[in-house]
Amino acid sequence: MKSGFICITGLANAGKSTLINSLVGEKVAIVSWRPQTTRNKILGIVNGTDESGDDYQVVFIDTPGIHSAKNHLGDYMMKSVEVGLKDVDGILYVVDTAKGLQKEDYEFIEKHAEGKPLIVVLNKEDAVTKTTMLDVLQKLTAFPQIKAVVPASAKKGENLEPIMNELLALLPEGVQMFPEDMFTDSSMRFMAAEIIREKGLYLLDKEIPYGIGVYINKFEMREDKPIYEIDADIVVEKQSHKAIVIGKGGSTLKQIASAARKDLEEMTGEQVFLTLYVKAKPDWRNSDYLMRELGYDIKDLKK
C-alpha cells in the first residue's frame, strides 16, 4: 500500500481547516471565519483504495495559519507550522484565491518549492471570477517547481478528487500507520475544548475571541447512565472580558454551551451534560505556564 504524511499550510484564513475536514470527511479541525482559528498541529487520516486497486493511507497535518507572531501563543503557533513541515512526503499549500496571491504566499512558495513536493490549492474558486483565477494561475507560472495547481472550493467540497489524485502520486510505498477506523489522533478531551472554543469564536466580538482558551476540568461518563458530564473553563485575558463572555443574565455563555453541546453529542454519540465557567487569567497568551495549562506547550512540539 501507499502511505505518508502531507502538511496542509497557508496564510491565516485561507481555508485549511475546512479543506482538511472535507478531505477526511469528518470534523477534525474547528472552523470559523476568523484568522488564527487553528492553534495546534492536528492530524486527519484518510484511508482508501486508488484507481489501481491499491490501498492507501494519507495522514494530513493541519497547521495554524502563517502570520506574524505578536505573543508567546503566536510563537507556539508558528513553531507548530515549522514542526508540521518536517519529515513529510509533500506540502499542500492553500491560497485564498479571493484575496489573490499575497507577498507571504510568494515568500513561502519560493522558500519551499525546491524542497518537499509542493501542491497548491486555489481555494474559494466559487467566490472569484474566471479573470481572477486566471490571473493567479498566471502568476504561479513563475514557480515551475510546483508539482500541481488545483482550483477548489473546500466549503462546497468541489474538486477534492483531483487534489487526492495529485497527493497519492507523491506517496511512497509504506505501511498502515493508524487503524483503518481512525480519522484523527486527537483525544475527545482535546476535541471538546476545541469545539467549545469554536462556538466562542462565532459568538464573541472584536478582539475577545483571540484571547480565549478552554480547559477541560472533567470529561467522564456517569456510572448509572450513558451521559457524558463535561465541565470546562473558558479562559479570558482581561477581567472586563469575563462579563462579555457571560453576557446579560448569562445569555452569551448559554448560547456557547447550547451550540457546543450539540457538536459534543454528535462526537460522543451520547447525551452530554455541559457546564461552562469563565475565568480571567491576565495576559495568559504571554505566560508559558498558563499556555501549558491550556495545552500549548512548546516542548510537546519537539517530540
Side-chain angles (χ1 to χ4, degrees):
M1 68 179 299
K2 286 186 170 185
S3 65
F5 290 86
I6 300 294
C7 179
I8 299 182
T9 189
L11 301 187
N13 222 24
K16 301 177 300 301
S17 295
T18 303
L19 181 60
I20 192 173
N21 289 342
S22 295
L23 290 169
V24 174
E26 298 282 354
K27 185 168 185 171
V28 298
I30 65 171
V31 177
S32 87
W33 65 87
R34 299 182 189 278
Q36 302 168 38
T37 297
T38 300
R39 291 175 176 171
N40 301 76
K41 181 167 65 75
I42 299 169
L43 297 190
I45 305 158
V46 177
N47 297 284
T49 305
D50 64 19
E51 294 176 349
S52 303
D54 296 324
D55 293 333
Y56 64 81
Q57 184 174 82
V58 185
V59 182
F60 290 104
I61 303 172
D62 185 27
T63 58
I66 297 168
H67 67 284
S68 298
K70 297 180 180 178
N71 47 47
H72 286 199
L73 179 60
D75 292 335
Y76 170 88
M77 290 163 69
M78 289 303 91
K79 182 66 176 178
S80 294
V81 177
E82 181 184 328
V83 172
L85 289 167
K86 288 182 178 179
D87 302 321
V88 294
D89 299 289
I91 300 170
L92 197 61
Y93 188 78
V94 184
V95 173
D96 182 348
T97 316
K99 293 181 179 178
L101 282 178
Q102 308 293 302
K103 177 174 72 74
E104 294 83 359
D105 291 319
Y106 280 109
E107 290 172 352
F108 182 94
I109 294 171
E110 191 169 38
K111 180 178 180 180
H112 294 279
E114 294 286 0
K116 305 287 183 182
L118 178 68
I119 294 171
V120 175
V121 173
L122 300 182
N123 194 27
K124 307 181 185 180
E125 67 162 355
D126 55 312
V128 301
T129 64
K130 288 184 179 179
T131 301
T132 299
M133 180 63 72
L134 288 171
D135 179 63
V136 175
L137 287 167
Q138 178 61 36
K139 288 175 179 176
L140 286 174
T141 59
F143 301 99
Q145 311 95 321
I146 295 174
K147 295 295 182 183
V149 179
V150 185
S153 171
K155 187 176 182 179
K156 292 187 175 182
E158 294 176 352
N159 243 22
L160 300 182
E161 187 175 348
I163 295 173
M164 285 298 299
N165 289 339
E166 294 292 348
L167 293 174
L168 293 178
L170 303 180
L171 295 187
E173 295 290 325
V175 297
Q176 183 173 303
M177 296 171 286
F178 295 93
E180 195 168 330
D181 60 350
M182 187 173 175
F183 63 84
T184 183
D185 69 335
S186 299
S187 68
M188 286 208 292
R189 288 181 72 98
F190 172 83
M191 291 301 297
E194 288 289 89
I195 285 169
I196 294 166
R197 187 166 67 87
E198 178 187 56
K199 306 315 173 188
L201 288 170
Y202 274 104
L203 291 165
L204 298 170
D205 292 328
K206 299 179 181 178
E207 79 278 8
I208 295 175
Y210 303 108
I212 67 169
V214 176
Y215 180 78
I216 303 295
N217 298 304
K218 181 171 75 171
F219 190 114
E220 59 187 38
M221 183 176 281
R222 291 180 181 175
E223 293 183 0
D224 58 334
K225 56 183 69 175
I227 297 176
Y228 278 99
E229 290 193 354
I230 303 174
D231 290 359
D233 293 335
I234 295 178
V235 179
V236 296
E237 283 195 301
K238 298 179 180 180
Q239 194 67 35
S240 60
H241 290 170
K242 185 175 176 179
I244 296 173
V245 175
I246 294 172
K248 188 176 181 181
S251 58
T252 304
L253 191 60
K254 288 176 183 175
Q255 288 182 65
I256 294 172
S258 178
R261 188 181 298 108
K262 291 178 182 178
D263 280 14
L264 291 169
E265 289 182 339
E266 185 175 336
M267 178 184 77
T268 62
E270 303 289 353
Q271 186 178 346
V272 169
F273 184 80
L274 176 63
T275 305
L276 296 181
Y277 307 91
V278 184
K279 293 185 178 180
K281 296 190 176 182
D283 200 27
W284 70 263
R285 287 185 293 176
N286 277 314
S287 166
D288 291 338
Y289 169 74
L290 293 175
M291 281 176 51
R292 282 195 298 272
E293 273 200 337
L294 290 166
Y296 310 117
D297 192 345
I298 290 282
K299 293 179 182 177
D300 289 340
L301 297 176
K302 298 177 182 178
K303 293 179 180 178

